[in-house]
Amino acid sequence: MDVTRVELLTIGDELLLGDTVNGNAAWLGRRLADHGVEVTRSVVVGDELDVIIEAVAAALGRADAVITTGGLGPTYDDLTRDALAKAAGVGLVRDPALERRLRDRVARAGRELQPMALRMADVPEGARILTNSAGSAPGLRVELPGGIVYAVPGVPFEMRTIVDEVVLPELAEIAGLPAVARRTLRTAGMWESVVATRLAEVEAMDGVRLAYLPDPSEVKIRITVAGPGAADRLAEVETRVRDLLGTAVYGAEDESLARVVHRVLAERSATVAAAESLTGGLIGAELTATPGSSATFAGGMVTYATEVKHRLLGVPAGLLDEHGAVHPDVAAAMAAGVRDALGATYGLAVTGVAGPDPQDGHPVGTIFIGLAGPGGLRIVTSPRLPVPGPGPETRAVIRRMTVVHALELLRRILLGLDVEDRAGSARADREESG
Amino acid sequence: MDVTRVELLTIGDELLLGDTVNGNAAWLGRRLADHGVEVTRSVVVGDELDVIIEAVAAALGRADAVITTGGLGPTYDDLTRDALAKAAGVGLVRDPALERRLRDRVARAGRELQPMALRMADVPEGARILTNSAGSAPGLRVELPGGIVYAVPGVPFEMRTIVDEVVLPELAEIAGLPAVARRTLRTAGMWESVVATRLAEVEAMDGVRLAYLPDPSEVKIRITVAGPGAADRLAEVETRVRDLLGTAVYGAEDESLARVVHRVLAERSATVAAAESLTGGLIGAELTATPGSSATFAGGMVTYATEVKHRLLGVPAGLLDEHGAVHPDVAAAMAAGVRDALGATYGLAVTGVAGPDPQDGHPVGTIFIGLAGPGGLRIVTSPRLPVPGPGPETRAVIRRMTVVHALELLRRILLGLDVEDRAGSARADREESG
């Protein structure tokens, strides 16, 4: 059967109640689009058997296939198994292999199996089991008169694993090769509308579509080229986009800024150490999110309290007394201090005001980034951040933007790129905040 | 008319493509629940006139009212106005007051009005205008045979403003006092199905519903009590749930584990310092996510590379040479070292294997948590984590679980709770991974 229209059905009271944001639906929509499959509708229902059955039937009345997420766990409010069995007019049967798998792992842990956990070994008669290499609850593939239902767990990393390993290849094969080619380029420190203005001519190209996916202080540009020879055309378009954006493009696809920094450091047999104030450890966390990062990340110090900046990093007490912790000279001293303390090639330091309240008379969003390196290299930048305004997310967003600007400063220095660019994009940021 | 069941209809291709996560639906679900209005379904459709009309009709066939977001802007893919007019069988009329308001706004900005912008002054005949004090596009209230439609813009800030100022007060008044009462309790370090098994008797209570919201090594339990005297009954049910779960409950509602740790430290005028290996700074980041945390968080060291554990924390080189970095004595030495280096009351340290590859013969997920405190207090725990299996998310999940177990160990020690519990729930975690 031909599958080109897919609907998503997300199951769980917590989504209707707003306890959880529906990131699964966004991830699936993106993933399916990249494989040339169109998501035509996305529905969220609660943990109610009849409602789930009705929603599956309605979706298959409109689309060729439905992907459901959630309701496959061990607890009483996990009802997707039962709903699919009822919809197919069959019973639930306990799968011996699944039961063995559950019992084996429990036995290896020297534990007794919770009877409720065995619910995860029950499958609708005739359903195909989609192995969950990332957790306990398997996915299910059920053929109903109206079309195919793929049921996957709601736990994001389990959902993603089963979809990538099983569902997408199968759907892509049925749907045929995508008639579109896509590529994502990643930029740091440049305001979204500056990016968009520079790319106006690309926007205007026939069969080319640009989508901007902004993160704090990052913009990802997704280039989609449709029509015959899409792949070849995409290569030309990408080259043009890179020409227009210049050194603001740091990577492509899933290559994070931290990965790029690691790669460039490794190429130079250099290491970096981080001294963090307002980010509290986020720079270290970002740099260690990549396996094997100890080769290029020496370590760091979280000097959140002012006194600790003196104690651990040797920031002159007089400097701290006179100017407080939010000062360019403090950022420079922190960078040099952490570089020496950890014997790293580079020291990267941040200090500033994450909010919600101003500090020492500095408004929220004031940050100083210090970099110390070989040959007496000392640089301090102060990108002005677009403060999102009062709100629970403000502090988190400013901390995130600080991490990006710090890593981007290091990348530019390592690659010998103009750092004054930063001011330009900082002004753009500032403009955006206006 | 009585409004108790509300459906959400989010309109926009960007949501189906996954370029935007549906934060509006989550915010509305939470907000409505807090006002005693139940969101029974949430649907996302693209920018297609007929699809929007059909989706509104279908929603009103199930619910008393529908809130639509998106499609009210000036561009030609903004079709909500047209869809509502067609659904009501009326035409669009230009509202003079809205037109004047638009012209004034543009004039004050010293710009020229784009003709397209006047679309935002068109309203379905007989519709009520919901003033948008935060932007240009007004909301609309249309009465259809099946029920009421509230249409608000998709721009989050504008959506929230109109909903809070106009829609919610009106819905709450119609719906009357909430017929349900809700409460969320938060647990750490206990496996979801262990929680569920202990709460089986509560599940069975009339008019009581439990929803489990699992995070890595955390489970949030949302208790919903319906019917007369819901609030009083909720208090009794909460007491029972706390009795059944005991000290695994660390907080309620939005109080994170880190906030609880800060509160308990402050009550004892104590501080904590963190030494992080596999978490790379996530413990510090979590503890500094809360404003004002410098009062109880002294700072931390990210000793990711093995050699740095000796250099910064004074972990005996012989110990590291003999056993490597993943060892209980190393965790204990790191905790004592960071406590002394920062002059904190407590030192909290983690070392272990986040993966994807084993290290020094230790499997992925092996972690040791060290705690050093006053009076020569030295504790090391080694919760066995549910390793999600190979996959891009494994490393992130193990790092996250390590943060939770570390903060939970500190909480239990501060409160004088049994730490052996942790082993129990650690084994439970292990079982979950089966």
Side-chain angles (χ1 to χ4, degrees):
Chain A
M1 97 181 268
D2 189 28
V3 174
T4 51
R5 297 164 56 88
V6 170
E7 289 200 14
L8 307 180
L9 180 63
T10 310
I11 298 162
D13 290 342
E14 69 277 12
L15 286 119
L16 293 177
L17 288 166
D19 290 330
T20 305
V21 177
N22 199 349
N24 282 352
W27 185 88
L28 281 165
R30 177 76 175 286
R31 209 58 150 197
L32 287 162
D34 289 345
H35 286 71
V37 180
E38 186 190 6
V39 170
T40 48
R41 187 175 307 217
S42 175
V43 176
V44 179
V45 296
D47 301 306
E48 288 180 57
L49 188 63
D50 299 343
V51 173
I52 297 169
I53 294 170
E54 172 272 317
V56 168
L60 286 179
R62 293 177 298 250
D64 311 310
V66 178
I67 299 175
T68 73
T69 65
L72 291 175
T75 61
Y76 299 113
D77 59 359
D78 291 307
L79 298 169
T80 304
R81 281 176 297 263
D82 310 75
L84 292 179
K86 225 170 154 189
V90 299
L92 286 173
V93 290
R94 181 147 301 173
D95 182 82
L98 284 177
E99 177 171 356
R100 219 173 15 256
R101 182 166 179 267
L102 284 169
R103 291 191 182 281
D104 286 352
R105 299 197 173 192
V106 171
R108 274 206 305 278
R111 285 282 296 175
E112 217 174 89
L113 187 77
Q114 303 278 337
M116 199 163 18
L118 284 176
R119 284 167 52 81
M120 294 187 286
D122 294 339
V123 304
E125 252 176 299
R128 203 178 91 213
I129 292 162
L130 313 178
T131 306
N132 180 352
S133 65
S136 316
L140 299 169
R141 181 187 189 278
V142 179
E143 288 226 16
L144 295 178
I148 309 170
V149 180
Y150 295 94
V152 294
V155 181
F157 68 86
E158 299 184 16
M159 182 276 294
R160 295 177 187 190
T161 304
I162 298 177
V163 167
D164 278 342
E165 288 177 359
V166 186
V167 179
L168 272 177
E170 193 168 315
L171 279 180
E173 190 185 343
I174 303 171
L177 284 174
V180 298
R182 285 194 174 78
R183 177 89 166 149
T184 301
L185 297 181
R186 304 169 66 120
T187 69
M190 186 180 278
W191 178 34
E192 181 181 1
S193 82
V194 172
V195 173
T197 306
R198 291 202 191 176
L199 296 183
E201 70 171 69
V202 179
E203 287 273 9
M205 292 179 181
D206 267 0
V208 176
R209 192 171 138 254
L210 299 181
Y212 302 100
L213 318 170
D215 269 337
S217 296
E218 286 199 64
V219 178
K220 303 184 187 98
I221 303 117
R222 189 157 89 245
I223 311 167
T224 306
V225 177
D232 298 345
R233 247 193 105 210
L234 177 62
E236 297 163 22
V237 175
E238 178 183 348
T239 307
R240 186 63 189 141
V241 169
R242 286 179 178 272
D243 291 345
L244 293 166
L245 297 181
T247 60
V249 177
Y250 70 76
E253 302 306 337
D254 294 333
E255 188 175 44
S256 68
L257 185 52
R259 275 185 191 275
V260 172
V261 166
H262 279 303
R263 178 164 46 75
V264 179
L265 282 168
E267 286 162 6
R268 288 153 179 69
S269 317
T271 61
V272 65
E276 309 190 51
S277 181
L278 74 156
T279 49
L282 287 173
I283 293 176
E286 185 71 21
L287 284 170
T288 55
T290 314
S293 40
S294 56
T296 44
F297 177 61
M301 305 238 193
V302 180
T303 56
Y304 195 69
T306 298
E307 176 269 338
V308 175
K309 295 176 174 65
H310 170 65
R311 177 200 285 257
L312 288 186
L313 298 170
V315 178
L319 179 61
L320 293 167
D321 297 342
E322 192 183 341
H323 299 293
V326 182
H327 190 277
D329 296 349
V330 173
M334 289 171 67
V338 78
R339 175 178 181 250
D340 299 344
L342 280 95
T345 320
Y346 294 91
L348 185 61
V350 296
T351 182
V353 187
D357 303 316
Q359 183 184 332
D360 307 340
H362 302 286
V364 173
T366 308
I367 64 167
F368 296 101
I369 304 173
L371 183 68
L377 172 71
R378 293 280 185 284
I379 294 169
V380 177
T381 62
S382 181
R384 276 169 298 167
L385 307 179
V387 179
E393 304 87 4
T394 301
R395 183 176 172 88
V397 170
I398 287 172
R399 277 155 48 102
R400 176 66 198 156
M401 291 189 293
T402 303
V403 172
V404 172
H405 281 279
L407 293 177
E408 176 64 357
L409 172 62
L410 176 57
R411 181 186 77 98
R412 300 191 74 86
I413 293 299
L414 286 167
L415 294 174
L417 300 175
D418 182 355
V419 171
E420 288 320 297
D421 277 5
R422 324 300 315 120
S425 59
R427 273 201 301 279
D429 282 341
R430 178 59 161 202
E431 196 179 319
E432 180 181 32
S433 73
Chain B
M1 92 182 271
D2 188 31
V3 174
T4 52
R5 296 162 56 88
V6 170
E7 289 198 13
L8 307 180
L9 180 64
T10 310
I11 299 161
D13 291 341
E14 70 279 9
L15 285 119
L16 293 176
L17 283 168
D19 289 336
T20 305
V21 177
N22 199 350
N24 283 352
W27 184 88
L28 281 165
R30 196 55 176 289
R31 209 56 150 201
L32 287 162
D34 292 345
H35 286 69
V37 180
E38 186 188 5
V39 171
T40 48
R41 187 176 305 218
S42 175
V43 176
V44 179
V45 296
D47 301 305
E48 287 180 59
L49 187 63
D50 298 343
V51 172
I52 298 169
I53 294 171
E54 172 270 317
V56 168
L60 287 179
R62 293 178 298 252
D64 311 310
V66 179
I67 299 175
T68 73
T69 65
L72 291 175
T75 63
Y76 290 115
D77 59 359
D78 291 306
L79 299 169
T80 304
R81 280 176 299 262
D82 310 75
L84 292 179
K86 224 170 157 188
V90 300
L92 286 173
V93 291
R94 180 147 300 173
D95 182 84
L98 283 177
E99 176 170 357
R100 211 165 28 247
R101 183 163 178 273
L102 284 170
R103 293 191 181 280
D104 290 351
R105 281 173 68 93
V106 173
R108 273 203 309 279
R111 301 203 320 272
E112 218 174 88
L113 186 76
Q114 301 292 325
M116 222 191 325
L118 284 176
R119 284 168 52 82
M120 294 188 288
D122 294 340
V123 302
E125 251 176 299
R128 207 181 89 211
I129 291 161
L130 312 179
T131 305
N132 180 351
S133 64
S136 305
L140 299 168
R141 182 187 189 277
V142 180
E143 287 224 18
L144 296 178
I148 309 170
V149 180
Y150 294 94
V152 294
V155 181
F157 181 62
E158 300 182 18
M159 182 276 292
R160 296 178 187 200
T161 304
I162 298 177
V163 167
D164 278 343
E165 288 178 357
V166 187
V167 180
L168 270 177
E170 191 167 317
L171 279 181
E173 191 185 343
I174 305 170
L177 287 173
V180 298
R182 288 196 177 77
R183 178 90 167 146
T184 301
L185 297 181
R186 303 169 67 117
T187 69
M190 186 180 278
W191 174 38
E192 181 183 2
S193 85
V194 171
V195 172
T197 304
R198 290 202 190 177
L199 297 184
E201 71 172 66
V202 178
E203 286 275 1
M205 291 179 182
D206 266 1
V208 175
R209 202 155 86 170
L210 300 180
Y212 303 98
L213 319 170
D215 267 337
S217 295
E218 284 199 67
V219 179
K220 301 181 194 114
I221 304 118
R222 176 168 272 262
I223 311 167
T224 305
V225 177
D232 298 346
R233 241 186 113 217
L234 177 62
E236 297 163 21
V237 175
E238 178 181 348
T239 307
R240 187 63 190 140
V241 169
R242 286 181 178 270
D243 291 345
L244 292 166
L245 297 181
T247 59
V249 177
Y250 69 76
E253 303 304 338
D254 294 334
E255 189 174 45
S256 69
L257 186 52
R259 273 185 194 276
V260 173
V261 165
H262 279 302
R263 178 164 45 75
V264 180
L265 282 168
E267 286 162 5
R268 288 152 179 69
S269 318
T271 61
V272 64
E276 309 189 51
S277 182
L278 74 156
T279 49
L282 287 174
I283 294 175
E286 184 71 21
L287 284 170
T288 55
T290 313
S293 39
S294 56
T296 44
F297 177 62
M301 306 239 194
V302 180
T303 56
Y304 195 69
T306 299
E307 176 269 338
V308 176
K309 294 177 176 66
H310 169 64
R311 178 201 285 260
L312 289 188
L313 297 171
V315 178
L319 179 62
L320 293 168
D321 296 342
E322 193 184 338
H323 298 293
V326 183
H327 191 276
D329 297 349
V330 173
M334 288 170 68
V338 78
R339 176 180 180 248
D340 298 345
L342 280 94
T345 320
Y346 294 91
L348 184 61
V350 295
T351 183
V353 187
D357 304 316
Q359 182 184 330
D360 307 339
H362 301 287
V364 173
T366 308
I367 64 167
F368 296 100
I369 303 173
L371 182 68
L377 171 72
R378 293 279 184 286
I379 294 169
V380 177
T381 61
S382 182
R384 276 171 296 167
L385 307 180
V387 180
E393 315 274 355
T394 302
R395 184 176 172 88
V397 170
I398 287 173
R399 278 155 47 101
R400 175 65 199 157
M401 291 189 293
T402 304
V403 172
V404 172
H405 282 280
L407 294 177
E408 175 65 356
L409 172 62
L410 176 57
R411 181 186 76 96
R412 298 190 75 85
I413 293 299
L414 287 167
L415 295 175
L417 300 174
D418 181 357
V419 171
E420 288 319 298
D421 277 5
R422 320 303 316 126
S425 59
R427 281 198 299 276
D429 281 345
R430 178 61 165 199
E431 186 183 327
E432 181 182 30
S433 73

